[in-house]
Amino acid sequence: MAHPKRRTSKTRRDKRRTHDKLTPKAITICQNTGELHLRHKAYVVDGDLYLHGKVAIKDYAPVAAAATSTDEE
């Protein structure tokens, strides 16, 4: 099994790890609804699906919610 010939310095180790940090997700407040949402993603407010600040689907019902309601019957 291979072993390092010399000890890796703290500086060299930390340089390698500089790109390992996580970045926070971009969250925006909608100007029309005032809701917090992830950027470039659709979001639901009061039963309507919004995308880019405009109503994409009125009276939106998620497919997963519809499937669970039919399973209960």
Side-chain angles (χ1 to χ4, degrees), residues 48-62:
D48 297 333
L49 185 74
Y50 283 81
L51 182 64
H52 304 297
K54 299 175 187 170
V55 177
I57 300 174
K58 276 261 191 217
D59 300 324
Y60 174 75

Side-chain angles (χ1 to χ4, degrees), residues 13-28:
R13 176 199 65 201
D14 293 344
K15 281 183 192 176
R16 183 179 67 247
R17 293 180 180 172
T18 57
H19 304 290
D20 292 343
K21 64 180 181 277
L22 295 174
T23 56
K25 296 199 176 216
I27 297 178
T28 305

Side-chain angles (χ1 to χ4, degrees), residues 8-71:
T8 306
S9 70
K10 294 173 192 170
T11 306
R12 196 171 186 86
R13 176 199 65 201
D14 293 344
K15 281 183 192 176
R16 183 179 67 247
R17 293 180 180 172
T18 57
H19 304 290
D20 292 343
K21 64 180 181 277
L22 295 174
T23 56
K25 296 199 176 216
I27 297 178
T28 305
I29 298 175
C30 180
Q31 294 178 352
N32 297 335
T33 61
E35 289 288 320
L36 284 173
H37 65 92
L38 292 174
R39 297 190 63 145
H40 308 289
K41 301 284 182 188
Y43 54 98
V44 178
V45 178
D46 297 331
D48 297 333
L49 185 74
Y50 283 81
L51 182 64
H52 304 297
K54 299 175 187 170
V55 177
I57 300 174
K58 276 261 191 217
D59 300 324
Y60 174 75
V63 176
T68 56
S69 65
T70 56
D71 292 341

